[in-house]
Amino acid sequence: MQTDVKSKIGTALGVAVILAWCLLPVVWIISLSFKSQAAVTNGSPGFFPSDGGGAGWQNYKDVLHNGQFKHAIVNSIGISLIATLLSVIIATLAAYAIARLEFKGKKFVLTTALVIAMFPVVSLVGPLFDMWRTFHLYDTWLGLIIPYMSFTLPLAIWTLSAFFREIPWEMEQAAQVDGATAWQAFRKVIVPLAAPGVFTAAILTFFFAWNDFVFGISLTSTERARPIPAALSFFVGQDPFNRPASLLAAGAVVATVPIVVLVLFFQRKIVAGLTAGAVKG
């Protein structure tokens, strides 16, 4: 009995430590976003106007009314959604072929896809910078969508191929026996069954595109295509040597909200897709 109590107490303490470790940066940046710049400079602990150290919601109003940030929001939404849509469509077709067809070099294709997904992003910035300026893709949406897909597509293929392998082949054959074509069986039977894996691939792709900083800062030079993470680095105040930390924190919170909402709404599908193929039977 005492052992069970100690085990529960130990588990609770472990969970509390992990939550504190993970949530402390989030709480800190949220509290910072409510401070005034003067409070940040002076080291005031106050968060709200009533205690003399905060700016309240004014930082969020200033960020959302900032023209540079508005352009960045539009750019991030458009680029991320297009990259996600194209990656999921191509990855679904490619993963289905890898899972269903037998051909030489299948393992090599999957291994290469995984290696590409893990390739260092920084090592590609220099070559892409020169190529995009030559092909007139520098500082454009397409100039960011292509690099995003080059990393998210292999990861999506790897994830979806594992999920497709778990779908019984007999279900597709039964649909074809009933008169469905191969495309109809794929679209009406296989894809709905693979929905958790497709959701996972889409979410991972969207996360990468939305959170990217390296490509966003290196392959853009104006507000025309600069995404939110890169735009935040150009936030400057009246004093260029004293960055507006509270405004940056408010912008970071606004940029994080879509990711949090997606995870909360689709957490079950994400977990189901990530664990696909881990257990057979």
Side-chain angles (χ1 to χ4, degrees):
M1 190 67 178
Q2 293 181 352
T3 303
D4 293 339
V5 174
K6 291 181 179 179
S7 177
K8 291 181 180 179
I9 294 175
T11 302
L13 289 176
V15 171
V17 170
I18 293 174
L19 286 177
W21 178 267
C22 296
L23 294 180
L24 180 60
V26 178
V27 175
W28 185 272
I29 197 170
I30 291 176
S31 67
L32 187 63
S33 68
F34 284 103
K35 288 185 177 182
S36 64
Q37 185 59 31
V40 175
T41 304
N42 298 329
S44 172
F47 296 160
F48 300 99
S50 58
D51 55 28
W57 295 99
Q58 188 60 42
N59 287 329
Y60 290 92
K61 294 179 181 178
D62 293 342
V63 165
L64 293 176
H65 285 86
N66 184 287
Q68 178 183 349
F69 195 76
K70 287 182 180 179
H71 281 292
I73 292 176
V74 174
N75 291 335
S76 287
I77 292 175
I79 293 171
S80 300
L81 289 179
I82 294 174
T84 299
L85 180 62
L86 293 177
S87 294
V88 169
I89 292 175
I90 298 174
T92 301
L93 298 175
Y96 175 78
I98 292 174
R100 292 304 193 205
L101 302 179
E102 293 295 335
F103 57 90
K104 293 182 178 180
K106 179 190 293 189
K107 292 183 179 180
F108 176 76
V109 172
L110 286 174
T111 303
T112 303
L114 188 61
V115 170
I116 293 174
M118 302 300 173
F119 203 78
V121 175
V122 179
S123 61
L124 297 178
V125 170
L128 281 176
F129 179 83
D130 291 333
M131 289 175 59
W132 273 200
R133 288 176 64 89
T134 302
F135 299 149
H136 303 289
L137 292 176
Y138 183 77
D139 200 23
T140 63
W141 280 24
L142 186 60
L144 290 178
I145 291 172
I146 294 175
Y148 291 169
M149 290 182 61
S150 66
F151 281 90
T152 58
L153 188 57
L155 183 60
I157 291 174
W158 182 274
T159 303
L160 287 175
S161 61
F163 205 93
F164 279 130
R165 282 195 295 267
E166 295 300 311
I167 299 177
W169 176 251
E170 291 78 10
M171 298 185 68
E172 186 177 4
Q173 290 178 326
Q176 293 180 355
V177 170
D178 290 338
T181 62
W183 171 248
Q184 289 174 335
F186 170 76
R187 183 167 53 90
K188 296 183 179 181
V189 177
I190 301 300
V191 172
L193 292 174
V198 174
F199 265 101
T200 302
I203 294 298
L204 292 176
T205 302
F206 187 85
F207 282 2
F208 180 90
W210 185 270
N211 295 326
D212 171 71
F213 174 78
V214 176
F215 287 137
I217 196 70
S218 304
L219 302 181
T220 62
S221 59
T222 66
E223 298 176 4
R224 185 171 62 174
R226 185 177 291 145
I228 291 177
L232 288 176
S233 66
F234 286 89
F235 271 29
V236 293
Q238 297 179 352
D239 182 4
F241 299 101
N242 188 13
R243 303 295 295 274
S246 55
L247 286 178
L248 287 170
V253 172
V254 173
T256 307
V257 168
I259 302 299
V260 175
V261 172
L262 285 175
V263 171
L264 291 177
F265 273 96
F266 301 114
Q267 56 181 328
R268 291 186 178 180
K269 292 184 180 294
I270 294 174
V271 172
L274 289 175
T275 55
V279 179
K280 293 185 178 181

